[in-house]
Every structure is written in C-alpha cells, then in structure tokens.
Amino acid sequence: MPSWKELPGVKAGVVTGDVAWAIMKHAKENAYAIPAFNCTSTSSVNAVLEAGAKLDRPIMIQFSEGGAAFFAGKSLSNKNKEASVLGAIAGAHYVRMVAPAYGVTVFVHSDHCAKKLLPWFDGMLEADKAYFAAHGEPLFSSHMLELSEEDHAENISICADYLKKMAPMNLILEMEIGITGGVEDGVDNSGVDNSKLYSTPEDTWAVYEALHPISEKFTIAAAFGNVHGVYKPGNVKLQPELLDSFQKHAAAKLGDGSTKPLFFVFHGGSGSEKSDIASALGSGVVKMNVDTDTQWAYWEGILKFYKGNDDKLQGQIGNKDGPEKPNKSYYDPRKWLREAEVTMCERVQEACKDLSNVNA
Ligand SMILES: [Zn+2]
C-alpha cells in the first residue's frame, strides 16, 4: 500500500475533490482517520497547522457556524448568518494562504449545519461556486449538514438536494443520521432517550441508496452512543461495533464484493476509550471531530502561564522582583496566546496519534 503522500495530486495546502476523497479512501483502507479540529481564530488554525507539520500528516480544519462568526468578529451582526458566511470564507482563504508555508496537506470543512442555519450553508456554497469558476475547484473541501433533528426521510432528501448542488464542484458532503447526544452549537440533545442514540443498519443503507447515485463523495456521522461535549461517565455506552454491522448490511445489499462501502465520521468522541476508537477505525471511520479537548488544551496553556507568572500579570509595572519592574513581556498577547497554541498543538498531535494518523 503506497503512502498517502504518493496519492496523485497530494500537495501541501488545501486539498479538495478527487484528491481529498482519495485520502479518505486511503484512510479507510489503512484504518486511520483524519482528525478535524474546530478553529475560531488564526491562532487556533496556526496551532493545528503546526501540529500537522510536526507529524507530516494530513489534517482537517473545520469552522462551526458560531466559530466562523467569531472568526470574522463577535461584534458583527449575524442576523442572516452573514458573519458566519463571511468568517467561514475568510477562514478558508486564510488556511489556503498559509498552509503551503507549513507544508501541510489540509482539508477545510464546515461543521454542523442544522436546518435553521441553511442560509450559512448557502452562502458558503456561493463562495465555492465563485472559487470553482476561477480556479476549477471549490473553496472548501467539504461541508456538513446536520439534519438529524428532522425525520429520516426529510434529512436524507435535503441532503440529496444539496449533494446535487455540490457534486458538480466535487465537494464532499458529511451528513448525520441518528441522534448524537449532548449539546453542540445550540442543538441540545441532552434530554434524548438513550435508545435513540443508536443508528440502525437500515438508516445508513437508506443514506447510501439516496446519495450514492448522485455522488460517491459523502460521509455519514452515524450515532453509536456518542455524545457531543464531555461525557458523563456511564451515561451512554459507546458501541463502535454497530458501525461494523452497518458496513456488513450495506455490503450485503450491494453484493458487489465490497466489504466496507460506507465512510463514517465520529462525532462526540471526547473522552472515548482508546479501544473504542480503534474499533471505530477498523469499521470505516475516516474522520473524527475534536473540539472539546482542544478547547481545554488551548485554555490550559494560558492557565498554566498565568499561574506561573501571576505576579507579573496584575499591572503594567511592578512584580515580585520590584515595584519598578515592567511586565510588558508577559502581558503581550503574543506571549500568552502562544502558550495556548503550544498546548493546543500538543493536544492536536495526541489526537492524531489516537486516530493512527501518524507515519508508521
Ligand atoms: Zn454531530
């Protein structure tokens, strides 16, 4: 099996279309996954790129609707999702500009888009169209629709409609079926009955049947007991073996000799057992979202810096070494934000290792 680097078209910078899809196929065949990190600023993007460069592995940067709005600036109006559209586009362009300098192969993705957020999705697709017209590829690598709140038929049919718009630009669609527990981006599933936290083989097959005739470039975030945010231990049991049963069902329906026809995405995996992650990787998980753990890592760098230097962070002048001592070199944002980046960069590398996204 050739290395992912030998796949045709792989380069430093943002990958889209057939190249991006070939890496996902390679991941499935080699039982690793590309971690996708939620970024909200150039600082967090840089931390992810730095980690990708250190490991020399493909990586994914994703912007949520709220994270994208934050990227453009919290003070902007977002009444019609204009700040979310602008921030996601600005973020994608930023990644495109700097990733080649880092030497990193990167996917740019937009995260959870619920039905009420579709204007955000539409705005990003417009930007993809304009970029495609100019450069022959979309601005983003992939986008996610999160319609699991709707009934399955509506979820799948809206996904099919969007995939029809995305396929001519070679965009990858990620969709979610079955309910991921917990709270994320304003969707609160924390009260959902535990029995609804598991998808069925029929669910994922229905997605394949509807989407595959349009384009092969789609991934499924199926529910197998995963919970967005942090786990309450013992609350829900992760059953990654369900993914294997979904693959077997789809393979039997296809009857074409394929064994793992589905591409899965792992949402809500913070705090998962390593053995559950390994099992998921063997069952066709090609992408895993990482947000909560890197949020903590980013904060932890600042926390440690503050605790280690608190006397120098109370005023511009004066610390325990003397009342005249200047503190500028401590409160300069480049100092403490860098500490956040360093700890986030380490956590990003750890996530890559957990997902076997490391050079063997
Ligand atoms: Zn999700």
Side-chain angles (χ1 to χ4, degrees), residues 111-112 144 146 174 176 180 184 221 228 267-268 289:
D111 197 10
H112 293 89
M144 194 219 166
E146 207 297 66
E174 177 183 329
E176 184 158 339
T180 302
E184 187 162 77
H228 286 137
H267 287 197
N289 290 356

Side-chain angles (χ1 to χ4, degrees), residues 100-116:
Y102 283 82
V104 178
T105 298
V106 55
F107 295 68
V108 181
H109 176 71
S110 63
D111 197 10
H112 293 89
C113 179
K115 198 174 178 185
K116 61 177 188 250

Side-chain angles (χ1 to χ4, degrees), residues 74-127:
K74 194 70 184 157
S75 67
L76 293 178
S77 165
N78 202 20
K79 219 189 318 173
N80 303 305
K81 301 299 155 205
E82 59 270 45
S84 298
V85 172
L86 182 64
I89 293 170
H93 278 288
Y94 178 75
V95 176
R96 280 189 171 277
M97 288 290 287
V98 300
Y102 283 82
V104 178
T105 298
V106 55
F107 295 68
V108 181
H109 176 71
S110 63
D111 197 10
H112 293 89
C113 179
K115 198 174 178 185
K116 61 177 188 250
L117 302 179
L118 285 174
W120 174 50
F121 202 100
D122 294 334
M124 290 187 291
L125 280 190
E126 284 304 311

Side-chain angles (χ1 to χ4, degrees), residues 76 118 164 253 300-302 325 335:
L76 293 178
L118 285 174
K164 280 174 198 155
K253 288 277 186 189
E300 195 180 27
I302 296 175
K325 297 282 184 195
K335 184 74 186 175

